[in-house]
Amino acid sequence: MSQSRQSVTNNSPVCEEETQPFLFPQQNNCQHLTIFRRISCRTAAILLALTSLLYYSIFFLETQKCKRINPSKYSYPTGGYRQSISNTSGAFAIVGDFQRTSFAECFILGREVNEYDTKTIVKAMADFQPAFVAILGDLVFDGNDKNHWNHLDSTIKPLRETPLLPLLGNHDYCSNTLYLNDQVYCNNNRPWQEFHNRFPLTTSSSVTTWYSRIHDEQLGILWLDSNYHRLTTEQWELQQLWLQKTVENWESDPEIRGIVFLAHHPPYTNSLVVSDDEYVQSTFVPIYCQARKSLAFFTGHAHGFEHFVRDCNAGNSTAKKHFVVTAGGGGPRPTKAGNKYPDLLEGLFQSPRPFHYLQVSLLDESRGIRVQAHGIIENGETNVRLLHEFEQEFPG
């Protein structure tokens, strides 16, 4: 029996390593297996090192691409920015969506960072010295983050001597990324406090997020809060009643020649990122369409530039009305757009649409308004130029 086993052992030796733990291979007749394992381990280590190097190289490059401007030490003026426009005349500016791109938006979603382009637009507005600047919301990315408000102060520093009249956008209330947890995230009321400290919008003794001004004694301008989900039902209905009454008063006032509507959310847009706002459509648009003196409805939110002329079909009126999405202040722009509505700018600009602001002035002999869009098409451009313009006469 032992001879037979010895014979087998001599002809086909049993690998002693089979009985040894893998971590302690023996230098025996199974050395070829040990060498193979060493080569495999070295290959795996090299592959792991190369993978790590590639990962960290991509991380570094993406981090550099997503690098943002650190805000300066500049703070908003004591008592807030200038807001009085009484007894003023001349052209004014409209701009939307200054919000900076968050690091997560850039690094994970690949969205563009446009902070230098925002500064270019702000400087261009300051250079033409507007009577005031109407800002259509989304001044910051995250209204609950003080650093974002500090960044805004630094960005709009060239406009510190210009009256600034903003609206609240959805990001100014709080970051959309935490929308589902807003009741917890925003319960300290910081977004409203940060906004109000800088822009103390007051009517009589109450603080509201909607208001009106009369420019050059003949142009009525309405700032509307379109954040339906941020307002209570009572607040929304109160704003609607205020809007109806204000428009009725201006319609019957012979001194008021025209009316302009401003809101953050667009009732109509070809954006593939955001949709038409049904609450603006059902609440604000009918009042705009029925008003004989209404001239144009300007909105932001969609991070683009669109110009629609639509038949209102309100009551007995079939007048064509202007709807302009002007959200080119620097927020990350979508690279594609739909074609649901005929756009006067289709064919003039590709997506993403240009960074821009609007300059609104009265026509000669106060016949109506002229709207001119000035801006830049590519990231990094500094030559701000005329992009588009249209006129709308006051009704007879």
Side-chain angles (χ1 to χ4, degrees), residues 199-215:
F199 312 104
L201 310 177
T202 58
T203 57
S204 301
S205 59
S206 62
V207 177
T208 64
T209 54
W210 56 89
Y211 56 100
S212 66
R213 296 288 189 273
I214 296 176
H215 178 58

Side-chain angles (χ1 to χ4, degrees), residues 133-154:
V133 177
I135 308 174
L136 303 184
D138 279 0
L139 289 82
V140 298
F141 171 78
D142 184 355
N144 203 57
D145 191 329
K146 188 174 181 62
N147 290 329
H148 286 256
W149 291 102
N150 291 339
H151 174 74
L152 172 69
D153 294 327
S154 175

Side-chain angles (χ1 to χ4, degrees), residues 71-78 80-81 146 149-154 156-157 160 194 197-198:
S72 68
K73 298 294 184 180
Y74 178 75
S75 181
Y76 61 91
T78 302
Y81 292 99
K146 188 174 181 62
W149 291 102
N150 291 339
H151 174 74
L152 172 69
D153 294 327
S154 175
I156 63 177
K157 184 178 178 181
R160 61 188 178 277
E194 295 285 356
N197 287 345
R198 290 165 172 79

Side-chain angles (χ1 to χ4, degrees), residues 85-361:
I85 63 169
S86 59
N87 299 320
T88 62
S89 60
F92 62 92
I94 301 176
V95 66
D97 299 72
F98 280 150
Q99 69 182 79
R100 70 192 311 193
T101 307
S102 72
F103 182 81
E105 282 184 300
C106 176
F107 188 76
I108 298 175
L109 302 178
R111 293 179 177 172
E112 60 184 1
V113 176
N114 305 321
E115 295 179 14
Y116 288 102
D117 304 298
T118 299
K119 285 182 172 291
T120 298
I121 295 299
V122 168
K123 181 180 183 302
M125 285 191 293
D127 287 345
F128 99 81
Q129 298 180 333
F132 64 90
V133 177
I135 308 174
L136 303 184
D138 279 0
L139 289 82
V140 298
F141 171 78
D142 184 355
N144 203 57
D145 191 329
K146 188 174 181 62
N147 290 329
H148 286 256
W149 291 102
N150 291 339
H151 174 74
L152 172 69
D153 294 327
S154 175
T155 299
I156 63 177
K157 184 178 178 181
L159 294 169
R160 61 188 178 277
E161 300 299 326
T162 304
L164 303 178
L165 299 170
L167 287 166
L168 279 158
N170 50 299
H171 282 273
D172 304 322
Y173 275 97
C174 244
S175 169
N176 268 7
T177 57
L178 296 168
Y179 180 80
L180 296 179
N181 198 31
D182 272 356
Q183 295 303 314
V184 175
Y185 187 68
C186 298
N187 62 2
N188 61 2
N189 204 33
R190 171 176 284 175
W192 165 247
Q193 197 61 52
E194 295 285 356
F195 181 86
H196 183 65
N197 287 345
R198 290 165 172 79
F199 312 104
L201 310 177
T202 58
T203 57
S204 301
S205 59
S206 62
V207 177
T208 64
T209 54
W210 56 89
Y211 56 100
S212 66
R213 296 288 189 273
I214 296 176
H215 178 58
D216 206 8
E217 301 181 347
Q218 57 188 317
L219 184 65
I221 307 174
L222 298 156
W223 282 257
L224 305 173
D225 190 340
S226 58
N227 294 277
Y228 177 84
H229 294 290
R230 307 293 184 173
L231 301 178
T232 65
T233 300
E234 181 181 4
Q235 288 174 317
W236 187 262
E237 292 176 350
L238 181 64
Q239 178 180 209
Q240 183 179 12
L241 291 173
W242 168 87
L243 175 60
Q244 289 174 329
K245 182 178 180 180
T246 303
V247 171
E248 288 173 2
N249 290 339
W250 285 350
E251 287 277 275
S252 61
D253 185 347
E255 298 296 323
I256 303 300
R257 305 285 306 282
I259 303 173
V260 168
F261 283 59
L262 307 175
H264 179 63
H265 298 84
Y268 310 107
T269 178
N270 285 332
S271 172
L272 299 178
V273 178
V274 299
S275 304
D276 303 347
D277 192 279
E278 59 179 311
Y279 302 103
V280 174
Q281 281 187 7
S282 62
T283 304
F284 301 153
V285 170
I287 299 174
Y288 168 70
C289 285
Q290 292 169 8
R292 187 177 63 89
K293 296 180 180 179
S294 61
L295 304 175
F297 198 140
F298 300 101
T299 57
H301 188 56
H303 294 191
F305 185 24
E306 303 169 283
H307 185 185
F308 311 118
V309 177
R310 295 178 56 83
D311 290 323
C312 273
N313 296 321
N316 295 324
S317 172
T318 57
K320 294 182 180 295
K321 299 282 187 176
H322 295 278
F323 294 86
V324 180
V325 177
T326 172
R333 303 165 298 168
T335 56
K336 295 181 180 179
N339 56 4
K340 183 164 53 173
Y341 305 113
D343 183 359
L344 296 184
L345 304 182
E346 186 66 32
L348 296 179
F349 308 109
Q350 301 298 319
S351 293
R353 292 289 173 88
F355 304 104
H356 69 281
Y357 70 91
L358 302 183
Q359 180 177 326
V360 183
S361 56

